[in-house]
């Protein structure tokens, strides 16, 4: 299933804004999730036992940037090649981590919703 021209334009516009300051927007993205759904904190091994304010957690900052960069690279690949190529070991690792953390399909829907919130 491909994007319509309008959808592709919206994605390009969003990434144009996000790429201007990936560290800021990526941390804002995860901070909004944790603010609206505090229970999500337990899905992150490096936040579970921490009493530190999530925005000050260096591991959350590093994780947020890594996720956004991977997403950005995937979007570029999809646009340029029509597919996303990720090593099988990376996909298996990500799948294992997400299953162990209790991530379900609806959690991903929430993530995409928040991307639009942080750029507005």
């Amino acid at each position: 299933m491909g994007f319509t021209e309008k959808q592709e334009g919206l994605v390009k516009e969003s990434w144009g804004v996000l790429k201007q300051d990936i560290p800021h927007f990526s941390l804002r993205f995860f901070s909004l999730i944790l603010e609206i759904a505090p229970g999500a904190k337990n899905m992150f091994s490096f936040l579970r036992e921490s009493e530190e304010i999530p925005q000050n957690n260096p591991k959350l900052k590093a994780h947020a940037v890594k996720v956004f960069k991977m997403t950005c690279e995937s979007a570029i690949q999809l646009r340029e090649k029509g597919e996303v190529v990720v090593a099988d070991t990376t996909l298996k690792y990500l799948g294992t981590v997400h299953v162990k953390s209790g991530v379900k399909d609806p959690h991903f829907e929430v993530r995409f919703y928040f991307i639009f919130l942080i750029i507005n």
Side-chain angles (χ1 to χ4, degrees):
M1 180 175 98
F3 283 136
T4 65
E5 284 186 38
K6 182 178 179 180
Q7 290 170 320
E8 185 176 325
L10 290 170
V11 169
K12 283 181 178 179
E13 183 181 333
S14 298
W15 279 118
V17 172
L18 294 173
K19 288 191 311 186
Q20 292 175 21
D21 192 352
I22 287 176
H24 168 76
F25 286 119
S26 59
L27 186 59
R28 181 164 157 73
F29 169 76
F30 281 97
S31 296
L32 277 170
I33 289 174
L34 295 169
E35 182 181 313
I36 293 171
K41 180 180 175 184
N42 293 326
M43 294 181 165
F44 299 92
S45 60
F46 50 84
L47 292 179
R48 268 186 223 127
E49 305 299 321
S50 174
E51 294 301 320
E52 185 174 28
I53 297 170
Q55 294 85 339
N56 296 336
N57 187 303
K59 290 184 179 180
L60 178 62
K61 289 179 183 181
H63 175 76
V65 168
K66 189 165 112 177
V67 168
F68 262 59
K69 283 184 178 179
M70 186 186 315
T71 303
C72 185
E73 289 168 4
S74 298
I76 290 167
Q77 283 185 25
L78 186 60
R79 175 69 182 130
E80 291 178 354
K81 300 176 184 175
E83 65 179 348
V84 177
V85 180
V86 181
D88 282 344
T89 54
T90 302
L91 286 176
K92 287 178 184 175
Y93 171 74
L94 288 173
T96 301
V97 168
H98 282 86
V99 167
K100 281 183 182 178
S101 298
V103 176
K104 307 270 189 254
D105 285 348
H107 295 122
F108 288 103
E109 291 172 18
V110 169
R111 283 185 179 181
F112 292 118
Y113 171 72
F114 282 117
I115 288 174
F116 293 104
L117 285 180
I118 64 174
I119 62 174
N120 292 319

